[in-house]
Every structure is written in structure tokens, then in C-alpha cells.
């Protein structure tokens, strides 16, 4: 019998501005909060709410984790890569 695998996770990439934000993370609590939000979005890229806007570009989405007080702005490519545009603490 073949082993059962969970759903394939989306790959996470960061925009230049999000990468700069990551460089400024200093505490373990901030890193843990971001990691938790990234896991949620990688497992279910459609979990975030669509942000209304221009339909010419990619559809931006917003995921907010009220427990960790984190908000991610991201978009999903056709190949299910999640591109994080910004990481915000609320």
C-alpha cells in the first residue's frame, strides 16, 4: 500500500520589499509569528481575502492571523507559488 501524503504545499517567494522587512526581524516571537502565517498560506493559498483592485495585474490577497497579530499581503502565481509582498504586524 502506498503511503498517504498530505496536500502539496505552495512554494513561498518574497518580493524585494518583503525581503527587506524580513532582514529587520529580530525577535524569536516575530519569526515564529511569520512562520506560522507562512505555513497557513503555503498549505491553503486561497485562505486570504481578495483585495479589490485592478484586474490587469495579479490578484492581491490578504491573510490576517489574529492570534499572532500578523497580516500578509500576497499573490498566487499560476503554478501555485505564493509571492509575499508585505509582512505587517497589527
Amino acid at each position: 500500500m502506498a503511503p498517504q501524503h498530505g496536500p502539496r504545499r505552495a512554494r513561498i517567494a518574497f518580493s524585494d520589499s518583503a525581503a527587506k522587512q524580513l532582514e529587520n526581524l529580530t525577535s524569536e516571537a516575530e519569526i515564529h509569528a511569520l512562520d506560522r502565517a507562512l505555513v497557513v498560506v503555503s498549505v491553503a493559498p486561497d485562505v486570504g481575502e481578495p483585495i479589490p483592485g485592478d484586474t490587469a495585474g495579479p490578484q492581491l490577497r490578504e491573510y490576517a492571523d489574529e492570534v499572532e497579530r500578523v497580516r500578509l499581503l500576497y499573490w498566487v502565481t499560476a503554478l501555485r507559488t505564493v509571492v509575499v509582498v508585505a509582512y505587517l504586524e497589527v
Side-chain angles (χ1 to χ4, degrees), residues 1 6-8 14 20 26-27 39 49 52 56 61 63 66 70 73 82:
M1 181 179 215
R8 184 173 169 242
F14 297 95
K20 286 180 185 177
T26 56
S27 77
V39 167
E49 296 293 322
R61 302 184 76 81
Y63 170 72
E66 299 301 325
V70 168
L73 301 179
V82 174

Side-chain angles (χ1 to χ4, degrees), residues 29-64:
E30 290 174 323
I31 294 168
H32 172 77
L34 175 61
D35 282 347
R36 180 176 173 183
L38 291 174
V39 167
V40 170
V41 171
S42 72
V43 171
D46 296 333
V47 71
E49 296 293 322
I51 297 174
D54 189 0
T55 58
Q59 173 68 59
L60 283 176
R61 302 184 76 81
E62 175 183 10
Y63 170 72

